[in-house]
Every structure is written in structure tokens, then in C-alpha cells.
Amino acid sequence: MSESVIVYPGFFDPITLGHTNIVKRATGAFDRVVIALSKDSSKDPLFTFEERHALIDSIYATNRQVSVETFEGLLVHYLEKKSYRTVLRGLRTVSDFEYEFQMALANKTMNAEIETFFMMTDSKYSFISSTLIKEIARLGGSVREMVPGMVCESLERKFA
Ligand code: ADP
């Protein structure tokens, strides 16, 4: 049987414990999880593409089930180029659902072979978003319980 691969795309500015929890749980259901870091240049990130990439890389450096790739432009084009068919997205709120539902249907319309799997957030992390974390860190609050240690240190350096 061929190995099962699921692609977890996102902007990860920065990666949070909400994201890493989704990845960890997905490794229990799939042989391999590919974190696909978006290069989308229309957004104005706090962390550069290289910084976001380096953070994710070091978090998963020793995890052979998780790899990190990057893509630019449409997710569907990247999936087609790499012959991936399965996408993972996390859900926190009803507003997440509306957006994700729309994206999944749009992707399926562009390529009927692509399937999107949704994983419900762990209730512990349901309030966590990259945006909220940046705001708390900017105002000098502690995000130690919300992001991996390395991300916490990078945030502290950014706002020192
Ligand atoms: P994007 O800009 O593509 O939405 P994000 O990096 O914000 O990228 O998020 C990537 C995915 O992770 C999305 O499916 C998002 O809903 C999910 N996600 C983000 N935060 C959490 C969380 N705390 N719990 C579960 N899923 C999350």
C-alpha cells in the first residue's frame, strides 16, 4: 500500500501551538504530513518568509513524519505539480468554517480530485490565532502558553 500524505497549507506568521496540535494529531492518521508554507506576497507578515520557514524547520527537524515545503500562488497548482491530493485545515470557529468551506469548494471546482480534511481545534487552543499572538506580544504580554518555545523567543526579540 502506498503511504498516505496530507498537506497542511498556511501562512504560519508565526506557527502556534494550535497549528502544531493539528499537525501532531494528523500524524496519528496519516503516514506523512507536509506543512506547506505559503509565500503569498499580498500579506504583510511580521516574520519574513525565511524566518517563518526556519522556525517551522527547527520545530520539526527531528520528526521524520513531518516535512516542510513552500509554495507560491494557487494551492491547487502546487498540489497538482507535486501530485498531492489531500489537504488538511483546522477549524476553530463558525467564521473559520465559512471561509474554509468556500475555499474547499473552490479548490474542488478547480480540481475535482482534491479532498480537504478538516480537524477540529483542541479546545485548549481554540482561541489561539497568529494575529492574536502578535498583538499580545506587541503589547508586552506573555505568549509562552500559546506558541512553541522557539517562537516565543523570536517574538520577544522582535518586540524587545
Ligand atoms: P491561512 O492564512 O492559510 O489561514 P494560518 O497560518 O492562519 O493560514 O492557518 C493555517 C490553518 O491552521 C488554517 O486552517 C487555520 O484555520 C488553522 N488554525 C490556525 N490556528 C488554529 C488553532 N488554534 N487551532 C486549530 N486550527 C488552527
Side-chain angles (χ1 to χ4, degrees):
M1 219 172 73
S2 64
E3 63 166 7
S4 57
V5 181
I6 192 152
V7 177
Y8 183 37
F11 204 58
F12 305 110
D13 182 40
I15 190 162
T16 69
L17 291 184
H19 294 128
T20 56
N21 174 261
I22 293 283
V23 171
K24 180 149 194 273
R25 287 158 58 207
T27 58
F30 293 84
D31 297 325
R32 206 153 65 80
V33 177
V34 176
I35 299 179
L37 175 64
S38 164
K39 218 171 181 170
D40 188 354
S41 51
S42 69
K43 296 194 184 177
D44 184 21
L46 173 66
F47 290 94
T48 65
F49 173 74
E50 289 73 21
E51 288 170 329
R52 286 179 279 134
H53 197 189
L55 283 171
I56 303 172
D57 261 347
S58 43
I59 290 165
Y60 293 104
T62 57
N63 190 329
R64 295 181 57 205
Q65 244 185 305
V66 181
S67 53
V68 188
E69 296 184 3
T70 66
F71 72 101
E72 204 167 357
L74 275 182
L75 175 66
V76 169
H77 290 161
Y78 155 74
L79 298 171
E80 286 167 352
K81 206 166 85 199
K82 305 282 297 200
S83 302
Y84 293 138
R85 298 250 168 88
T86 316
V87 174
L88 172 65
R89 297 286 288 176
L91 288 178
R92 288 159 296 187
T93 57
V94 174
S95 59
D96 266 357
F97 176 78
E98 277 178 32
Y99 173 72
E100 296 294 344
F101 186 63
Q102 195 180 24
M103 284 306 298
L105 290 183
N107 287 339
K108 199 148 192 63
T109 303
M110 288 184 274
N111 184 332
E113 290 185 342
I114 291 171
E115 297 294 354
T116 305
F117 285 67
F118 295 104
M119 193 175 272
M120 199 65 97
T121 183
D122 184 313
S123 56
K124 271 207 303 283
Y125 304 123
S126 61
F127 69 97
I128 296 180
S129 72
S130 299
T131 307
L132 179 71
I133 275 158
K134 286 181 280 189
E135 195 55 14
I136 295 173
R138 187 178 67 81
L139 296 170
S142 170
V143 291
R144 205 151 278 283
E145 305 292 316
M146 305 173 209
V147 292
M150 238 175 279
V151 175
C152 188
E153 285 147 29
S154 300
L155 280 164
E156 283 168 2
R157 274 198 301 277
K158 285 259 177 214
F159 294 112

